[in-house]
Amino acid sequence: MGDEQRVDAFEAVDAPVRQVELFEDRAAVTREVTLSGPGRHRLRIGPVSPVVSDRSLTFPGAAGADPADAPTIEEVRIERVDSVVVDRDPELQAQVEGRWRAAQEEAAALSDAHQRALDRAERAEAALDAAQAATPRALLEQDAPVAWIEMVTELGEALTEARQDEDRRRRALQRQQEEVARLERQRLAGQQGRSTVQGFIVLSLVAKAAGPLTLRYVVPCAVWRPAHRAALTTGAPSKVAWELTAVCWNATGEDWADVPLVCSTARPGDLAAPPVLEDDRLHAQRRDREVVVEAREEEIRVAREKAPRAADSAPGVDDGGEVRVYRAAAPATLPSDGRPVTVRLDAWTAEAEARWLALPEQAGTAVLRTVQENAGSRPILAGPVELVRDGTVIGVGRVPLVAAGASFPLGFGSHDGVRIRRKREIHSDRTAITGRQWRTIEVEIHVALFGAEACEVEVRERVPTSELKEIRISAPTAEPPLDAAMDDDGFCRWTLPLQPGETRELKLTYTVDAASNVKLPF
């Protein structure tokens, strides 16, 4: 009875949310209470999140206000009350039941449609593979190869359309299954009720005058991550429309409706710690006379990029070491149901240099590669990016941290009509007396265009580079000649204008000269 009288003595007041600031692993909520006049006030604010941290509760004053006029806080505590929430509206419960049944039927229909689309895509892929396998013989035997090329092109277009249709139906099925699960939980909660814990902020203060009182607290179970969308419009010139969105999750136990939202990359929970120092012991050993060469892939990085690092926690937001703050343009609604909510933060448009790029060593097709500048006033945060080309969703890629004004590449899908075949031959030779050895590498590349429209493709082939004085690699000879000399990273480039049905042959030859005590990896 003493506790109940103590609770009743406090006045329940409304404290609307003025701002929600999301971090990587928590959120800071700012509320405001209007004090009716001077004197002692005993307030009970809530319900709020039951996981609110007592120590995080602060009372920031208004900007420009005199600290001497601030209220005196006498007592602050958090009360948590167990309760069962039951939907008492039969009509609303009947509506939920109806939506749940309809969602189940819709999910079953979408599952059947997705299976049919998947079967169509598999048949289209099998037909295209069979036609490509028969293409060399058909082009030699037929008097009019154009008809065969048009047939192969149509099969490729049909496969692309079937894959896009299967992807759309798969995504729709996933969304519908999530909706069925959500309605099921809502239906059971309406029938049986759901146990919940509500938090209340109880405080006693002495005010010197009437006016607003601001309180701020931190709660876990709320996060955000950046997600991007890049829409390419091909033309002269090509343009990329970039959009930065925040994908937000709220499972704090309190709903936020139409609140100003701020997304920050600050890490208020991180504590700085010095590294552990260990002894660095040096040992001398005899050098081996035989030099064993290991071929390795070297990733080319620029100054603004950082090497990947191991983390002992969930991946966070890569901000380059400087806190970035983004404010949503419009108030956002984040219900406490744990479902992702997308909020738009920033957008800009920039001209892009687009070209078809082929790397035969990696893949047998050409990719539409664009290079554009970050036209925004702030860096692009690392994260996933949805790729859209001329209104069609191509897929999802990733973008690293990109500084404002810096250029960065994107890939917008492959060319259905370009086929590339690569063959490499190695010829070995060694002198009888000195044992010096040579490896002559011949690379032959065939590029064919089966599409109905002309296309210009940039082909890049890589020549290995040596870090050892015992190994020398000659300058490559190319047929046809390269567009420019090989660059410092060993890349050779051709630019090929292709007509429908045309096949081009490229050759690249270079020599590896090594001493007798060198063991080459090829």
Side-chain angles (χ1 to χ4, degrees), residues 97-118:
E97 291 275 356
R99 291 199 300 268
W100 173 68
R101 292 192 182 92
Q104 282 188 318
E105 295 176 358
E106 180 68 17
L110 289 176
S111 178
D112 295 340
H114 173 256
Q115 186 60 45
R116 291 194 297 269
L118 184 62

Side-chain angles (χ1 to χ4, degrees), residues 57 66 152 193 240 255 263:
L57 186 61
D66 188 356
V152 174
V240 170
D255 297 330
C263 296

Side-chain angles (χ1 to χ4, degrees), residues 274-330:
V276 179
L277 300 181
E278 297 180 354
D279 293 337
D280 189 5
R281 300 182 179 274
L282 302 179
H283 302 275
Q285 63 181 16
R286 186 178 299 277
R287 184 176 179 179
D288 196 346
R289 297 184 60 184
E290 184 182 32
V291 179
V292 180
V293 179
E294 294 182 356
R296 71 175 186 270
E297 299 291 337
E298 187 72 19
E299 185 176 358
I300 301 172
R301 293 186 175 271
V302 295
R304 69 173 185 273
E305 296 178 349
K306 300 188 180 208
R309 58 185 177 85
D312 56 359
S313 60
V317 183
D318 183 7
D319 55 7
E322 182 177 348
V323 175
R324 317 289 179 179
V325 179
Y326 298 85
R327 185 177 297 273

Side-chain angles (χ1 to χ4, degrees), residues 43-55:
L43 307 178
R44 190 168 188 259
I45 302 170
V48 299
S49 171
V51 292
V52 59
S53 174
D54 304 36
R55 292 177 296 178

Side-chain angles (χ1 to χ4, degrees), residues 181-355:
R182 185 186 70 85
L183 290 173
E184 172 70 11
R185 293 192 298 267
Q186 187 176 355
R187 184 180 71 91
L188 294 177
Q191 290 178 350
Q192 306 171 2
R194 52 185 174 86
S195 175
T196 185
V197 179
Q198 294 180 329
F200 293 88
I201 301 175
V202 179
L203 65 116
S204 177
L205 58 89
V206 177
K208 298 181 179 180
L213 172 66
T214 303
L215 60 154
R216 183 179 185 269
Y217 55 88
V218 177
V219 291
C221 305
V223 299
W224 82 283
R225 291 295 183 269
H228 309 278
R229 186 177 188 270
L232 172 65
T233 303
T234 56
S238 298
K239 293 185 177 181
V240 170
W242 191 270
E243 183 177 338
L244 167 62
T245 59
V247 183
C248 311
W249 290 266
N250 175 20
T252 61
E254 60 177 272
D255 297 330
W256 301 320
D258 294 330
V259 297
L261 180 66
V262 176
C263 296
S264 173
T265 64
R267 300 167 179 85
D270 285 358
L271 299 177
V276 179
L277 300 181
E278 297 180 354
D279 293 337
D280 189 5
R281 300 182 179 274
L282 302 179
H283 302 275
Q285 63 181 16
R286 186 178 299 277
R287 184 176 179 179
D288 196 346
R289 297 184 60 184
E290 184 182 32
V291 179
V292 180
V293 179
E294 294 182 356
R296 71 175 186 270
E297 299 291 337
E298 187 72 19
E299 185 176 358
I300 301 172
R301 293 186 175 271
V302 295
R304 69 173 185 273
E305 296 178 349
K306 300 188 180 208
R309 58 185 177 85
D312 56 359
S313 60
V317 183
D318 183 7
D319 55 7
E322 182 177 348
V323 175
R324 317 289 179 179
V325 179
Y326 298 85
R327 185 177 297 273
T333 298
L334 302 178
S336 179
D337 55 7
R339 302 179 66 192
V341 177
T342 301
V343 180
R344 182 175 177 178
L345 298 180
D346 196 7
W348 47 263
T349 301
E351 294 186 1
E353 178 187 353
R355 64 176 59 189

